[in-house]
Amino acid sequence: MTDNFMKIPKAEKIEKKLEIHGDVRIDNYYWLNDKENSKVIDYLNEENAYYDAKTAHTKQFQEDLFQEMKSRIKEDDESVPYKKNNYYYITRFETGSQYPIYARKKGSLDAKEEILFDVNKLAEGFNYFKLSGLSVSPDNNLVSFGVDTISRRIYTLQFKNLTTGEIYPEKIENTTGSASWASDNKTVFYTQKNPITLRSEKIFRHVLGTDPSKDVEVFFEEDEAFSTYVYRTKSEKYIIIGSSSTVSTEYRILEADNATGEFRIFQQRERDLEYSVAHYKNHFYILTNKDKAVNFKLMKTSEKKTLKENWVDVIAHREDVLLEDISIFKDFLVVEERTNGLNKIRIMYWDNSEDYYLPFEEETYSAGVYFNPEFDTNEIRYGYNSMTTPSSVIDFNVHTKVKVIKKEQQVLGGKFDKNNYISERLWAPAIDGTQIPISIVYHKNTKLSKDTPLLLYGYGSYGITIDAGFSTTRLSLLDRGFAYAIAHVRGSEYLGRKWYENGKLLNKKNTFTDFIDCAKFLIKKKYTSKDHLYASGGSAGGLLMGAIINMNPDLFHGIIASVPFVDIVTTMLDESLPLTTGEYDEWGNPNEKEYYDYMKSYSPYDNISKQSYPNMLITTGLNDSQVQYFEPAKWVAKLRELKTDKNILLMHTDMEAGHGGASGRFDSLKEVARDYSFILGLEGHIKI
């Protein structure tokens, strides 16, 4: 990075006392949470100008990286068609276009294409555009869809007549963007978000052609720890309203042909009782942790007797197998499991004639059942990829056991050969003796040593598991001698539900120490060294980044933190912010002293001290709905005040985008190129 003479940004200090439980925290940058204040925007612009100046010499390299990444993508690409209700649905891209085209063909793939939406045309004139939640009516004539032009994940729900092409005038604001059709082809159920907290809190019934202000509220989720949603079962018989929190769920059911009827409770919510439901014939199948089934089990019950005392086991709980999901078909059941961190797909016939697993051979990989809307079929569709194998969409005939690869991700440019890359799974000992899995990939010509640059990625929250998957953009690192690794730390469900439980609430620090221990292991085994080790994470993974640099600032040469959740105590004390109350069971409620003290002890923002920090790139979006922009802004301001080193500290705020970044497929590549140029620059790949 260049050492120019541009003045380092310095945010004004305005003391704010935050007191609870007899403890006082001084937040000198609290004022940055008001984006209506012109001084706040001025500061963000000042940081952006500083970023631009310090990275001016990398702009051509960023453009080269972008073009390199773009050149690997098949621009005129399309999805594997799926069939539903006698139509084949296809999503495709045209050369040069940022956004998809949604289309369908009636009865046969040889039929004339009918374009549902050309998102490129809809997006004209918008800096951000997201089309979501497409749902076609049972008679195939209408489609509901959601539009977000701000990147706050708040959608305006609209309707289109697929026969005439007319988009109906009614617009329903503040929704999740999706809707579920009743059998009458005119009634939909949708979820409304609270415009302040963004919590999905109400279900409404709308009849096409009527004033949305007259829509009937059919359910209000009063408990702020819960969010609500609505969907129609694959069997098409029921409309189901769900409510869920971190540790509890509840469902209400209504026959889809009785749109104005009353929803009835399936099983009343109980703390620590989680369940989900699927319908088949005259039974409901229930994935649940009932009876202390930590890794979940499968049960069933009559559709007439849905209370939990009527549930009976179909697949019993197993200590070493996490039951993740099921898909119901006419003749068989497909079960998705996870054993020793790896995905398994199991086929079970209803008549008990067969019960077997699909074979997967690589040491570390990712596999999962695709969207399978057809009910009466002998084929299932699933996806497969690994850190060296591009993604494939595969149709598997459960009777003949013959698989057909319908599509394999093409890596263009003529340079990619999967045999040039090596992936393996390592096990790092944690400070408490637990073995932490690491998935790693590198080019076969990369000689692993203390001089090898390595990027270690982590997340580790909400039970979300980051599997060992393929990435075309990552090749730009691997082909330049980098190794790339994923630390499967506690807080995910990589090794089952207990793996998650041991990385949340008062066990949260395990997530951070696991990551640090993975880094130390990679250094000890000479995969890299402190001078060449980099770490990255986003959102809750950004919290991970913030925690590890406070705990072990000298362990990493550089850090990339994207939309980082770093001011956890202040945010979790502010119930007006999006997501706060619904996440008490993930992080703890700091209104209770025990959780306050624990969260404060690891909060990245609260624990910045006068010490050296690694080189850092921090990115955020002004309209972020999940992690508000002011968390990284405050974090950077305080780091600038206290850090004692001369290492690089940069922040870039996208003044248009939100939590997910840019909406166009090429614009998102530019963000990856920006991040990669930062660490490649630190490794001397950019000429000054």
Side-chain angles (χ1 to χ4, degrees):
M1 302 287 172
T2 55
D3 184 18
N4 56 36
F5 296 100
M6 184 169 184
K7 185 179 178 183
I8 297 174
K10 185 177 181 180
E12 182 181 359
K13 291 172 67 173
I14 302 175
E15 183 176 299
K16 170 82 172 179
K17 288 185 178 180
L18 302 170
E19 184 172 2
I20 188 173
H21 306 304
D23 181 60
V24 178
R25 290 179 301 134
I26 303 298
D27 188 348
N28 290 318
Y29 304 106
Y30 187 90
W31 64 274
L32 284 168
N33 72 353
D34 180 12
K35 69 177 179 181
E36 302 303 317
N37 181 347
S38 61
K39 289 171 62 177
V40 172
I41 302 301
D42 288 345
Y43 172 69
L44 296 178
N45 285 330
E46 187 180 350
E47 284 284 1
N48 278 351
Y50 182 73
Y51 168 84
D52 288 339
K54 297 293 283 186
T55 61
H57 67 291
T58 74
K59 296 305 182 186
Q60 185 56 53
F61 184 68
Q62 288 188 43
E63 177 63 22
D64 293 344
L65 277 178
F66 165 68
Q67 294 297 340
E68 178 180 296
M69 294 173 184
K70 184 180 176 184
S71 71
R72 299 191 190 105
I73 296 173
K74 189 175 187 296
E75 291 197 38
D76 55 339
D77 200 8
E78 68 176 45
S79 64
V80 179
Y82 70 84
K83 188 180 181 184
K84 184 177 183 183
N85 204 9
N86 201 36
Y87 276 86
Y88 288 91
Y89 289 87
I90 303 160
T91 303
R92 61 180 176 83
F93 286 90
E94 293 182 343
T95 301
S97 67
Q98 289 263 31
Y99 297 97
I101 295 170
Y102 296 102
R104 68 178 184 176
K105 296 181 178 182
K106 186 176 182 179
S108 166
L109 288 172
D110 296 325
K112 181 182 178 182
E113 181 184 69
E114 176 186 341
I115 293 179
L116 307 181
F117 296 100
D118 183 344
V119 184
N120 299 284
K121 293 180 179 178
L122 296 175
E124 288 177 2
F126 293 99
N127 291 315
Y128 179 93
F129 191 91
K130 181 75 171 179
L131 186 75
S132 179
L134 274 62
S135 178
V136 177
S137 61
D139 65 4
N140 293 314
N141 292 328
L142 303 161
V143 62
S144 64
F145 62 99
V147 172
D148 175 14
T149 58
I150 302 175
S151 187
R152 286 280 286 173
R153 299 186 183 181
I154 302 178
Y155 292 85
T156 299
L157 186 64
Q158 295 180 256
F159 305 90
K160 181 178 180 178
N161 186 311
L162 296 176
T163 303
T164 66
E166 176 192 4
I167 293 179
Y168 290 165
E170 62 232 64
K171 293 184 177 182
I172 305 174
E173 307 291 344
N174 296 333
T175 80
T176 59
S178 62
S180 297
W181 292 88
S183 301
D184 62 7
N185 298 296
K186 66 177 182 180
T187 305
V188 297
F189 296 88
Y190 65 89
T191 309
Q192 187 183 75
K193 285 189 167 187
N194 183 299
I196 305 299
T197 66
L198 304 187
R199 183 173 72 95
S200 299
E201 62 181 11
K202 294 180 179 180
I203 306 295
F204 282 88
R205 183 177 71 233
H206 174 74
V207 178
L208 264 65
T210 65
D211 183 352
S213 68
K214 302 292 198 303
D215 286 355
V216 177
E217 180 185 309
V218 296
F219 177 66
F220 173 40
E221 179 49 74
E222 297 182 5
D223 191 329
E224 293 183 347
F226 283 73
S227 294
T228 188
Y229 44 92
V230 61
Y231 65 96
R232 188 166 174 172
T233 58
K234 183 177 177 179
S235 69
E236 305 288 355
K237 184 173 181 179
Y238 290 97
I239 302 289
I240 297 188
I241 293 175
S243 287
S244 64
S245 71
T246 304
V247 298
S248 178
T249 47
E250 179 180 78
Y251 290 91
R252 288 165 167 75
I253 62 175
L254 175 68
E255 286 74 11
D257 60 5
N258 183 25
T260 57
E262 291 290 324
F263 283 84
R264 54 194 183 275
I265 291 180
F266 187 92
Q267 160 61 41
Q268 192 167 18
R269 70 188 66 181
E270 296 178 9
R271 183 166 179 82
D272 296 322
L273 174 64
E274 297 177 65
Y275 71 96
S276 59
V277 298
H279 178 254
Y280 173 63
K281 290 187 175 178
N282 57 352
H283 284 87
F284 282 102
Y285 285 77
I286 306 134
L287 199 63
T288 180
N289 66 351
K290 182 178 179 289
D291 307 320
K292 299 182 180 179
V294 176
N295 277 333
F296 287 75
K297 62 179 178 176
L298 185 65
M299 308 184 79
K300 76 173 183 177
T301 191
S302 164
E303 59 185 355
K304 303 299 183 185
K305 296 180 178 180
T306 62
L307 297 181
K308 68 176 184 177
E309 55 262 31
N310 300 301
W311 302 358
V312 295
D313 281 7
V314 176
I315 301 176
H317 176 255
R318 291 157 292 174
E319 290 290 338
D320 59 343
V321 179
L322 175 65
L323 193 55
E324 291 192 313
D325 203 359
I326 63 167
S327 300
I328 287 177
F329 294 83
K330 180 174 178 286
D331 295 330
F332 54 91
L333 174 70
V334 178
V335 183
E336 293 181 79
E337 303 175 349
R338 187 181 293 272
T339 305
N340 196 32
L342 299 179
N343 305 117
K344 307 287 186 183
I345 298 177
R346 182 180 181 185
I347 311 297
M348 302 174 64
Y349 277 76
W350 294 117
D351 63 7
N352 296 318
S353 60
E354 285 200 87
D355 183 345
Y356 62 91
Y357 289 86
L358 272 61
F360 301 124
E361 298 167 358
E362 293 187 82
E363 181 180 354
T364 180
Y365 62 87
S366 176
V369 175
Y370 253 56
F371 179 52
N372 284 271
E374 280 197 277
F375 181 68
D376 188 1
T377 177
N378 295 329
E379 291 187 332
I380 68 164
R381 178 166 293 170
Y382 69 94
Y384 178 90
N385 72 115
S386 74
M387 296 184 93
T388 60
T389 306
S391 301
S392 293
V393 179
I394 300 166
D395 281 356
F396 180 81
N397 189 303
V398 299
H399 289 346
T400 65
K401 298 183 176 62
V402 172
K403 70 177 185 180
V404 177
I405 298 176
K406 303 296 290 186
K407 180 180 180 179
E408 188 169 46
Q409 179 184 5
Q410 289 182 261
V411 183
L412 302 183
K415 298 179 181 178
F416 175 75
D417 180 349
K418 63 175 289 185
N419 297 311
N420 286 335
Y421 303 89
I422 298 170
S423 71
E424 52 186 318
R425 190 162 62 153
L426 312 172
W427 297 85
I431 194 170
D432 63 0
T434 303
Q435 294 293 308
I436 312 301
I438 305 171
S439 296
I440 187 169
V441 62
Y442 49 90
H443 196 283
K444 68 178 184 180
N445 293 335
T446 297
K447 305 302 180 186
L448 298 174
S449 72
K450 64 180 179 59
D451 297 321
T452 306
L454 188 150
L455 176 59
L456 182 63
Y457 175 83
Y459 187 76
S461 294
Y462 304 107
I464 294 172
T465 299
I466 308 299
D467 283 310
F470 186 77
S471 165
T472 60
T473 56
R474 189 189 302 147
L475 297 174
S476 292
L477 290 180
L478 303 184
D479 291 349
R480 289 176 170 83
F482 262 78
Y484 179 91
I486 303 169
H488 302 290
V489 294
R490 281 173 283 189
S492 75
E493 288 185 346
Y494 188 82
L495 291 178
R497 184 72 173 189
K498 288 181 180 177
W499 200 248
Y500 169 41
E501 301 290 347
N502 289 329
K504 63 184 284 198
L505 295 174
L506 298 175
N507 294 319
K508 188 65 217 170
K509 288 182 184 178
N510 284 335
T511 302
F512 316 137
T513 55
D514 284 357
F515 193 89
I516 289 168
D517 290 335
C518 286
K520 290 179 177 178
F521 173 82
L522 291 167
I523 292 170
K524 180 180 179 182
K525 295 297 182 180
K526 292 187 167 52
Y527 280 81
T528 188
S529 62
K530 292 181 179 181
D531 291 338
H532 300 283
L533 178 59
Y534 303 88
S536 73
S539 196
L543 167 69
L544 171 59
M545 296 299 104
I548 63 171
I549 61 169
N550 284 332
M551 296 166 71
N552 269 85
D554 64 338
L555 197 57
F556 304 91
H557 190 225
I559 297 285
I560 300 173
S562 308
V563 292
F565 178 36
V566 285
D567 190 15
I568 184 169
V569 177
T570 305
T571 290
M572 294 302 293
L573 282 168
D574 188 347
E575 296 181 5
S576 71
L577 291 175
L579 307 181
T580 294
T581 54
E583 300 205 350
Y584 287 156
D585 289 317
E586 177 71 28
W587 309 103
N589 182 351
N591 291 294
E592 300 174 23
K593 188 176 188 303
E594 180 183 28
Y595 288 108
Y596 173 85
D597 290 341
Y598 187 77
M599 293 162 74
K600 184 186 174 186
S601 72
Y602 69 75
S603 167
Y605 183 65
D606 290 296
N607 287 282
I608 297 171
S609 62
K610 288 188 176 182
Q611 62 178 357
S612 292
Y613 283 91
N615 299 288
M616 297 177 66
L617 171 62
I618 293 143
T619 61
T620 186
L622 184 63
N623 296 317
D624 198 319
S625 60
Q626 312 299 105
V627 178
Q628 308 297 309
Y629 74 90
F630 49 78
E631 290 203 37
K634 290 166 55 176
W635 188 40
V636 169
K638 191 172 179 180
L639 280 166
R640 291 207 185 283
E641 176 193 351
L642 294 177
K643 76 188 193 83
T644 58
D645 58 86
K646 293 185 178 180
N647 289 329
I648 300 159
L649 174 59
L650 300 174
M651 182 175 78
H652 182 271
T653 303
D654 188 323
M655 304 302 279
E656 303 290 344
H659 198 66
S663 55
R665 60 173 175 158
F666 298 137
D667 287 342
S668 61
L669 291 180
K670 292 179 180 178
E671 295 176 349
V672 179
R674 173 198 64 202
D675 294 351
Y676 282 6
S677 73
F678 178 72
I679 56 176
L680 285 166
L682 292 170
E683 283 295 314
H685 285 268
I686 302 174
K687 295 179 181 178
I688 300 176

